[in-house]
Amino acid sequence: MKKENNNIAGRPLRVMVSGGGTGGHIFPALSIAAAVRRRYPDADILFVGADNRMEMERVPAAGYPIVGLPVSGFDRSNPLRNFKVLYRVFRSVMKAHKLVKNFRPDVAIGVGGYASGPTLKAAQWAGVPTLLQEQNSYAGVTNRFLAKGARRICVAYPDMQRFFPADKIVMTGNPVRADLTANTMTPEEAKKALGFDPEKPLVAVVGGSLGARTLNDAMIANALDGAVEAAGFQLLWQTGKRDAERCLAAVEAKKPEGVQASAFLSDMGAVYKAADLIVARAGAGTISELQILGKPVILVPSPNVAEDHQRKNALALADRDAALMVADADAAEMLWTAINALIGDKERLAELSANISKMALRNSDEKIVDEIEKILK
């Protein structure tokens, strides 16, 4: 409901948003901020992120101010390095305390990631009401740590009372980027816009902005010697920036027909619209986007994430026949076979599309702002 009075207590609403580290945290945070602005155009919104993480670029690019904390994650492989990490956490808590004191937010929102721990805890100590947004089916350490002091916990999966107090949980889903749902092209138009034959099936392999080495290895091993053309489909391959040089050199050397590779894909709305099949990691943000758009997907969960949460995300879909899952360890042997079997099976693609669509939770950003308003009242 649009507010006629965009102020609170005679002044603009002040909102602090914290979290980040990956696109899976940043995009929901930006979506929530945009929804707050739609309802409260004069709202004063301050982001708090982690120094040297991607939010320090993405958030200002979206038009919001951000302050960085010196916080970093714990090193599980070398515990001795964690003395330095603990010192950074202490400094971050002190800086967050000053930020809360000076900004005086009416509400603080945490979306997970390194920075949200110190920031939301400082807000709770100061008596500021806090709302957590948990994207994954297996709750992260930071949100579990903050849950006791939170007023509301917005989730995207059922049965989250395993991690959080049941009376604080609200099922809202994960906010997704507005440009994805705003794309009005037909699949054929999107394929043409991306430089593909509109009559041929298209597989999009997207490993995220940094890339996924397992997916890249599978493409290098299978997609560059005429296999894509022989199978009768086309391939759009996002390598990610970390592995781009190796992957793009391999493509340049072979020049395979029907294959496009790029370090980064800027228009994901067009990519999703054009693709008949997606191959991706199982981050919560990606899954929510695919659910909203109803895209058939093969999920290859990353094993390099806290508490193996991507595998649990993928299983939540695979158990409902809403996606296929290929384990990271099996990808070299099984992924290309799975792609070939699925892209040619229109009936199975339609079945997966219908099942993943049933899991979609829409208008999540607006539902989260509804909960913010309830807290403020």
Side-chain angles (χ1 to χ4, degrees):
M1 184 176 68
K2 180 87 173 174
K3 293 287 176 187
E4 291 183 13
N5 179 4
N6 295 307
N7 293 338
I8 180 169
R11 57 166 175 74
L13 176 69
R14 285 194 288 261
V15 180
M16 185 173 276
V17 184
S18 187
T22 67
H25 290 125
I26 297 164
F27 294 135
L30 289 171
S31 295
I32 294 167
V36 170
R37 275 276 166 81
R38 286 196 296 272
R39 212 172 294 191
Y40 296 89
D42 297 329
D44 193 359
I45 301 174
L46 176 67
F47 278 76
V48 182
D51 283 338
N52 302 317
R53 303 294 291 186
M54 62 190 295
E55 60 263 29
M56 301 307 293
E57 295 179 8
R58 295 289 178 89
V59 170
Y64 298 98
I66 187 168
V67 178
L69 302 181
V71 67
S72 61
F74 283 94
D75 190 331
R76 292 176 174 82
S77 63
N78 189 344
L80 290 177
R81 290 182 183 165
N82 289 327
F83 287 109
K84 193 176 289 186
V85 174
L86 287 170
Y87 175 65
R88 291 194 190 113
V89 169
F90 173 76
R91 286 179 56 213
S92 297
V93 169
M94 293 299 101
K95 187 170 182 178
H97 174 73
K98 288 181 181 177
L99 284 171
V100 170
K101 183 178 179 181
N102 293 334
F103 184 66
R104 294 182 296 127
D106 298 296
V107 63
I109 302 165
V111 296
Y114 302 140
S116 65
T119 307
L120 271 288
K121 183 50 71 176
Q124 290 174 354
W125 284 337
V128 176
T130 58
L131 178 145
L132 307 179
Q133 201 264 322
E134 174 56 59
Q135 295 103 31
N136 293 292
S137 62
Y138 192 90
V141 172
T142 301
N143 278 347
R144 297 204 310 263
F145 167 68
L146 295 166
K148 187 176 179 182
R151 296 280 186 90
R152 204 75 91 247
I153 304 167
C154 297
V155 301
Y157 291 90
D159 304 320
M160 296 302 285
Q161 63 271 20
R162 293 174 294 156
F163 310 106
F164 304 128
D167 60 338
K168 297 182 179 184
I169 295 172
V170 182
M171 180 81 98
T172 60
N174 289 326
V176 302
R177 292 172 278 181
D179 60 308
L180 301 183
T181 53
N183 189 293
T184 58
M185 287 190 286
T186 66
E188 292 74 22
E189 288 170 342
K191 284 177 185 174
K192 278 186 85 170
L194 293 168
F196 290 99
D197 183 341
E199 303 301 319
K200 278 188 177 181
L202 175 65
V203 176
V205 177
V206 288
S209 57
L210 295 178
R213 192 173 186 90
T214 298
L215 302 187
N216 291 340
D217 287 345
M219 295 306 105
I220 288 173
N222 295 284
L224 303 184
D225 289 310
V228 171
E229 187 181 17
F233 65 88
Q234 304 168 99
L235 177 67
L236 178 58
W237 170 19
Q238 183 193 43
T239 68
K241 64 180 183 180
R242 269 191 308 217
D243 212 11
E245 187 175 348
R246 176 179 73 108
C247 297
L248 297 179
V251 173
E252 180 62 27
K254 301 278 187 174
K255 293 183 169 58
E257 192 70 28
V259 177
Q260 281 188 34
S262 176
F264 180 72
L265 299 172
S266 59
D267 190 353
M268 286 304 297
V271 172
Y272 280 143
K273 186 59 70 83
D276 298 278
L277 172 65
I278 306 288
V279 179
R281 289 301 202 187
T286 297
I287 287 176
S288 294
E289 292 170 356
L290 296 169
Q291 288 170 335
I292 295 288
L293 299 171
K295 302 304 296 189
V297 62
I298 298 173
L299 295 170
V300 185
S302 171
N304 307 311
V305 294
E307 295 154 318
D308 201 19
H309 70 252
Q310 283 207 8
R311 185 180 66 85
K312 291 155 187 168
N313 290 348
L315 282 172
L317 273 69
D319 288 347
R320 293 168 174 82
D321 197 31
L324 298 187
M325 185 179 88
V326 174
D328 189 85
D330 298 332
E333 188 177 327
M334 296 175 57
L335 180 57
W336 192 250
T337 302
I339 291 170
N340 275 273
L342 190 52
I343 193 61
D345 190 342
K346 289 186 178 180
E347 188 175 319
R348 183 70 177 125
L349 288 171
E351 190 175 36
L352 288 171
S353 177
N355 290 343
I356 197 170
S357 293
K358 291 173 187 172
M359 297 182 70
L361 293 168
R362 303 179 190 280
N363 303 315
S364 300
D365 51 357
E366 294 292 339
K367 292 174 184 174
I368 290 169
V369 179
D370 288 342
E371 296 306 316
I372 291 170
E373 289 191 336
K374 290 175 187 175
I375 289 172
L376 294 173
K377 288 176 183 175

